[in-house]
Amino acid sequence: MKKVYIETMGCQMNKSDTERMLGMLSHFDYVETKEPREADLLMINTCSIRQLSEDKAYSAIGLWGKWKKNKPDLKIGFCGCVAQQKGEALFKRAHYIDFVLGTHHIYKLPEIIQRVNMGEKVCECEESHSVEDDCAKDYPITRVKSVNAWIPITEGCNNFCTYCIVPYTRGRERSRLPEIIMKEAKDALAQGYKEITLLGQNVDSYGKDFQDKHYRLAQLLQDLNAIEGKFRIRFVTSYPTDISDELIDIVPKLDKVCEYFHIPMQSGSSEVLKKMNRRYDRETYAKIVQKVRDNVKDVTITSDFIAGFPGETEEQFVETLTAIDEFELDYSNTAAYSPREKTVAAKWVDKFIDEDVKVERLKRLNDKVKENCLKSNKKFIGREMEVLIENFENHKGKNVITGRTRNNKIVHIPCDTDRTGEFVNVKITGAKTWYINGELI
Ligand code: SAH
Ligand code: SF4
Ligand code: F3S
């Protein structure tokens, strides 16, 4: 048996791809190692969302190149979003790379490894338009040990927000077939996973490319909900104006589907949203969030925001801060704007915001997120909630189990036994910024 180590960066999509690559390799005499120095095959699954993510990938493999000098049989693969974007050029940048594998053909990995082992350098980064390439073979998936199983339902994105590289690294939007998703869900549940999270850049676009125009996210959720057994279902990410009324109506009716929506707003200013090519303004976003809150009791709504988009004025930035308050957003991911190759906004150099202003805005944004997170957590003190336990650890000398409520709040509970994978009922006793405290009932 040979040993493979995969370093995974970026979002859940990449984490899911890594699980699929490990699953395929397990068929071809490779076992996973967590120790890169022991590996015969080193792979990096990269993220390109910001310059910093890309730079991290290059610095991580620098060390691997040095190891190769003493271990000539060592093979190095550069995969994921940076690979898709840069292609062959990566061989020039780092001559010790043996193969470059973009995001569109991960199912070609076994064939690529064979060619690489014969001494060939391989680059596979052609754009795919077919869903077949995304699920060509029924390989097992080597999932990370956890209570949650990731299942991609769409690949790619058609939205072309002016700051974003994802449409270039993941290609056009393609939906995976319902029967494949159902099979993956049933397999994961049979293996003991207690939660299924459906993944897509825009999950509400699911099925737009099918001939049967009536099979969309709402129908998929219904079918998954009908699988027997106790488990939870989540879905991320929701594009604000694509969330259908049908979806909002169905979520509270399906007992396994959790009360959690991730609806990135990106900016609180309608003018900035227009320049970002987001297809909504502040008022429209407000209406959608209100509709979700009116229909889904105790729903947690989270968002993403970018600070310092080209041309963003101080007043427009403040609109982002007020949006977080006004729409009571429970938590938000934040980032300073980073220009990305090929994207429209990267050409607006004369409108770029100074680095120190971006840093200062990001800090104020993070402070606002923290403040609202604590406020949101405090709402649940005194309530009884169901928690799915994910972890057991000794925290500052005390045994603690941690897990999530249906609405995605992290809960810490004192307990001396490992209850990982169990659903427990808890009374909420206190709130911190990033988690809440509870006691077993
Ligand atoms: N499909 C999701 C977002 C996926 S990318 C959506 O439409 O909301 C994840 C997040 O990265 C984005 O929501 C955005 O906030 C951030 N992001 C994307 N490109 C960025 C850039 N060039 N600079 C800074 N942040 C960026
Ligand atoms: Fe990027 Fe916009 Fe697509 Fe999200 S919707 S992945 S931000 S282009
Ligand atoms: Fe994800 Fe980063 Fe690619 S956020 S889709 S891994 S660019």
Side-chain angles (χ1 to χ4, degrees), residues 307 336 354-364 366:
D354 287 345
E355 207 53 42
D356 51 344
V357 176
K358 277 201 280 187
V359 168
E360 189 262 343
R361 286 184 189 169
L362 183 61
K363 186 181 175 306
R364 282 154 70 202
N366 286 337

Side-chain angles (χ1 to χ4, degrees), residues 271-431:
E271 291 106 76
V272 174
L273 287 170
K274 209 173 197 175
K275 289 183 188 139
M276 288 176 161
N277 192 31
R278 301 288 286 186
R279 292 176 272 110
Y280 53 88
D281 57 14
R282 185 177 171 115
E283 288 66 38
T284 316
Y285 184 87
K287 280 189 196 136
I288 292 155
V289 164
Q290 198 51 49
K291 212 193 290 176
V292 173
R293 287 211 195 280
D294 289 346
N295 281 275
V296 187
K297 189 171 172 286
D298 286 337
V299 69
T300 289
I301 299 181
T302 58
S303 178
D304 295 350
F305 286 101
I306 296 175
F309 183 75
E312 182 189 65
T313 63
E314 169 61 21
E315 292 71 31
Q316 288 167 339
F317 171 69
V318 169
E319 287 189 73
T320 291
L321 301 182
T322 59
I324 296 178
D325 281 335
E326 196 180 319
F327 312 137
E328 295 179 35
L329 297 172
D330 298 283
Y331 170 76
S332 301
N333 300 309
T334 61
Y337 170 73
S338 167
R340 308 306 292 130
E341 195 186 339
K342 291 191 188 160
T343 61
V344 174
K347 296 179 187 83
W348 302 338
V349 182
D350 57 330
K351 297 276 192 306
F352 282 2
I353 305 293
D354 287 345
E355 207 53 42
D356 51 344
V357 176
K358 277 201 280 187
V359 168
E360 189 262 343
R361 286 184 189 169
L362 183 61
K363 186 181 175 306
R364 282 154 70 202
L365 180 56
N366 286 337
D367 288 345
K368 179 53 76 189
V369 169
K370 268 194 207 168
E371 181 191 315
N372 272 55
C373 213
L374 182 62
K375 218 190 279 173
S376 153
N377 285 346
K378 279 187 176 163
K379 280 195 257 175
F380 295 94
I381 296 176
R383 291 276 300 273
E384 288 181 11
M385 301 179 97
E386 183 200 71
V387 178
L388 169 56
I389 302 302
E390 296 174 8
N391 215 347
F392 172 63
E393 62 189 355
N394 193 285
H395 190 71
K396 294 182 187 158
K398 290 194 183 117
N399 286 329
V400 182
I401 52 174
T402 57
R404 277 168 210 266
T405 59
R406 288 176 58 98
N407 61 1
N408 216 30
K409 299 273 176 197
I410 296 170
V411 191
H412 289 201
I413 309 149
C415 179
D416 286 326
T417 44
D418 185 354
R419 311 271 309 257
T420 303
E422 289 181 43
F423 293 91
V424 299
N425 289 319
V426 165
K427 176 149 185 173
I428 305 305
T429 53

Side-chain angles (χ1 to χ4, degrees), residues 25 42 69 109 117 140 160 175-176 192 259 264 356 366 382 413:
L25 290 170
L42 288 165
K69 287 189 189 127
L109 182 61
N117 283 339
F160 290 95
S175 304
R176 300 181 75 218
E259 295 74 23
D356 51 344
N366 286 337
I413 309 149

Side-chain angles (χ1 to χ4, degrees), residues 9-11 13-14 46-49 81 165-166 169-170 201:
M9 300 169 154
C11 68
M13 276 293 176
N14 266 14
T46 59
C47 171
S48 185
I49 202 79
C81 290
I165 200 159
V166 172
T169 64
R170 292 265 166 189
Q201 293 304 341

Side-chain angles (χ1 to χ4, degrees), residues 38 64 154 159 199 268-269 298 310 346 416 433:
E38 283 182 356
W64 296 358
T154 64
N159 283 333
L199 295 179
S269 149
D298 286 337
D416 286 326
T433 302

